[in-house]
Amino acid sequence: MAKVHNLNCPVFVICVYVLILMPFHGAIGEMFKHVEFRIKEQAASGTLVGSILEEAELSKEVSPGELSTLNFNIVDDRQFASLFSINSDNGDVHTTAMIDREAVCLMRKECVFDFRVSVTSTQKFVGFVAVRIVIEDINDNYPRFRNNPINLIIPESPNVNVEYKIEGATDPDSDELNSVRKYEMRSSYAGMFELKAEKKLDGSWDLSLLNLQPLDREDKDRYTLYVIAKDEGNPPLSGTATVNIEVTDINDNSPEFTENLYEVPVPEEAAIGAVVGQVKATDLDVGANGNVTYSFSPSVSAQVRDLFTIDPGTGRIRVKSDLRYEAGSTFETIVSANDAGNPPRQSQAFLVLKIVDVGNTAPRVSVSPI
Ligand SMILES: [Ca+2]
Ligand SMILES: [Ca+2]
Ligand SMILES: [Ca+2]
Ligand SMILES: [Ca+2]
C-alpha cells in the first residue's frame, strides 16, 4: 500500500525542514508529498506501479476543474528512465522493463528507487511528489554452490567426529525465506557421515561433514555423497553439490610375512649366487607406505652374512660363499621386512637355513624352495 505524507508546513518544525531542503522540496506553500509504491521484481514491462494522482490525494490539493489538467514530470536525473515511465497526463507510473531485483540492486538488502515528480496545472505549479518505489523480492534464484563438485581429500584416520569444512551455497534472493534456509545430505553410506550446518550472523553458513566411523583407506578409499541447499520460497528451490571424498593413505599397516617361519634346505654344493629360497611380506598400504624391503636382522651373525645374502627388493636368499664346509649345519636367523613410510614400520620372521649334505653327487644349482 502507498503511504502519503503531506508536508504543507502544518507546523513550524516542518516549515524549517522544508526551507533547509529547498529547492529539493520546492517553495514554501507549494505541495510536497511522499508516496511509496511496492512492486514485485520480474513483473512484466508495462505493469502499473501506481497512480500518483490517487496516492498523493491530489484531489485534495486542486479544484475539480484543475484536476483533469494536471501534468506530471519526473524532474530528477533519469537514471531509472529505463525502468519506469510516468504518464504525464494522469500520473500513472509504469515499468518499462522487467526488473530483476538481483541485477539492479546487486546484493543490497533493500531495493529502492527514489525520484521526484513535478505536478503542474494549466493555472499554476502545484508542487512535488517524492516517489519511492520498492522492488520486492521473489524467489527467482536457486541456492548455488560456487564449487561443484566439492573434492575433499581426507587422510584416513581412526578418529571419529572429525569436522571437514565445505563451502556453503549462496542465494542472491534477499527475502529471508527466499535465501538459503537449510541443508540436507544424501548419502548411501548409512551411519558414515553427518552434515553439520550453522547459520552465521551475516547470513552465511558454516558447513562441515563429520565422519561418524573411522576412515580406513584399506577398506574404502572413495565416497560420493550429495549436499542439498534449500530455500523456503514459494515455490521452494534447491541446489545440490556433489561431494567427492578421497581417503588418502597413512602408514597404519606393517608388512606381514607370509610365514612366521621359513625353513630352507640348502644343498651344500649350491653354487655361489644360486637362489636357495625366498621370503615374502605384503603391506596393505600404498606408495612408500607399502613399499617393502628385506634385510637380515642386525642380530644375524657375521657368519651367516658371509654365507648368504638377502635381496632387499625380492626377499630372495642367495648363496654368497662356498658351503661345503658347513654341511650339516643349521643357521637360525631372523629376517626383517620394512616399509618406507614415515615413520617406517617393520615385521620380522624366522629363517632357518639347513645345509644339506648331498654326499658325492655332482654339484648342482638349487633354487628350491621359492
Ligand atoms: Ca529474487
Ligand atoms: Ca532463492
Ligand atoms: Ca605400511
Ligand atoms: Ca594405510
Side-chain angles (χ1 to χ4, degrees):
M1 289 298 292
K3 289 190 294 188
V4 181
H5 309 283
N6 191 331
L7 297 183
N8 251 352
C9 301
V11 293
F12 172 76
V13 172
I14 293 181
C15 286
V16 171
Y17 171 67
V18 170
L19 271 172
I20 291 170
L21 293 182
M22 283 176 64
F24 181 79
H25 278 171
I28 295 173
E30 290 168 357
M31 176 198 75
F32 190 85
K33 292 194 172 184
H34 289 266
V35 297
E36 182 178 301
F37 300 121
R38 304 182 78 86
I39 58 161
K40 291 195 182 303
E41 61 169 324
Q42 306 288 11
S45 176
T47 296
L48 176 65
V49 178
S51 164
I52 291 176
L53 187 74
E54 291 177 10
E55 297 299 340
E57 297 179 309
L58 296 184
S59 59
K60 296 179 180 173
E61 304 295 326
V62 297
S63 66
E66 269 187 294
L67 202 58
S68 61
T69 71
L70 292 180
N71 192 274
F72 299 85
N73 283 293
I74 296 176
V75 294
D76 296 311
D77 288 345
R78 298 299 307 275
Q79 53 178 318
F80 312 124
S82 62
L83 301 179
F84 306 105
S85 67
I86 189 165
N87 183 317
S88 59
D89 293 331
N90 64 14
D92 284 355
V93 178
H94 289 84
T95 59
T96 53
M98 184 179 283
I99 298 172
D100 178 3
R101 195 199 67 84
E102 286 71 45
V104 297
C105 288
L106 299 175
M107 297 298 282
R108 290 207 301 276
K109 198 75 184 162
E110 286 287 316
C111 188
V112 169
F113 296 98
D114 289 303
F115 55 85
R116 284 181 309 162
V117 172
S118 69
V119 183
T120 55
S121 71
T122 50
Q123 298 167 23
K124 65 177 183 191
F125 174 70
V126 177
F128 291 108
V129 178
V131 178
R132 166 162 287 195
I133 300 176
V134 180
I135 310 297
E136 295 182 336
D137 188 38
I138 67 168
N139 193 23
D140 56 341
N141 287 277
Y142 290 81
R144 181 175 163 270
F145 290 88
R146 195 163 56 104
N147 294 313
N148 187 14
I150 297 167
N151 296 316
L152 278 184
I153 296 176
I154 301 176
E156 62 177 324
S157 166
N159 300 328
V160 297
N161 291 323
V162 181
E163 288 188 23
Y164 303 99
K165 295 276 180 206
I166 56 178
E167 191 178 354
T170 56
D171 185 330
D173 294 322
S174 70
D175 184 88
E176 186 74 15
L177 293 175
N178 293 343
S179 54
V180 178
R181 298 277 291 175
K182 59 184 175 184
Y183 286 89
E184 292 174 4
M185 183 186 71
R186 205 168 74 231
S187 154
S188 54
Y189 318 107
M192 189 72 204
F193 297 102
E194 183 179 276
L195 183 70
K196 189 172 156 193
E198 287 178 355
K199 193 171 189 179
K200 295 187 288 188
L201 290 176
D202 66 0
S204 62
W205 291 75
D206 260 344
L207 263 194
S208 48
L209 277 179
L210 280 74
N211 63 313
L212 304 180
Q213 295 175 29
L215 289 169
D216 181 2
R217 188 209 64 85
E218 283 74 60
D219 180 42
K220 185 166 175 56
D221 65 351
R222 281 177 199 279
Y223 298 86
T224 299
L225 48 83
Y226 304 92
V227 174
I228 303 145
K230 293 185 170 182
D231 65 29
E232 292 181 344
N234 184 19
L237 301 173
S238 64
T240 301
T242 303
V243 182
N244 296 315
I245 299 171
E246 180 186 352
V247 182
T248 56
D249 191 42
I250 63 168
N251 193 20
D252 56 345
N253 288 279
S254 299
E256 281 193 19
F257 279 103
T258 56
E259 310 287 343
N260 290 325
L261 168 63
Y262 294 88
E263 286 186 302
V264 178
V266 182
E268 61 170 328
E269 294 185 337
I272 292 173
V275 175
V276 294
Q278 185 175 20
V279 295
K280 176 82 179 158
T282 56
D283 189 317
L284 294 174
D285 301 317
V286 290
N289 295 337
N291 191 2
V292 176
T293 55
Y294 303 92
S295 60
F296 286 124
S297 158
S299 67
V300 168
S301 69
Q303 185 187 14
V304 170
R305 293 174 191 278
D306 285 343
L307 296 175
F308 298 99
T309 62
I310 183 167
D311 186 305
T314 64
R316 284 177 178 157
I317 312 297
R318 284 191 163 88
V319 176
K320 187 179 176 188
S321 305
D322 191 336
L323 299 175
R324 279 175 295 186
Y325 303 107
E326 309 297 339
S329 301
T330 295
F331 298 97
E332 294 181 354
T333 72
I334 293 173
V335 287
S336 299
N338 293 274
D339 65 27
N342 184 19
R345 299 175 76 115
Q346 184 188 74
S347 295
Q348 295 186 328
F350 291 107
L351 170 65
V352 176
L353 297 155
K354 198 174 226 177
I355 315 300
V356 180
D357 184 351
V358 294
N360 295 324
T361 55
R364 62 186 176 86
V365 174
S366 171
V367 291
S368 65
I370 295 178

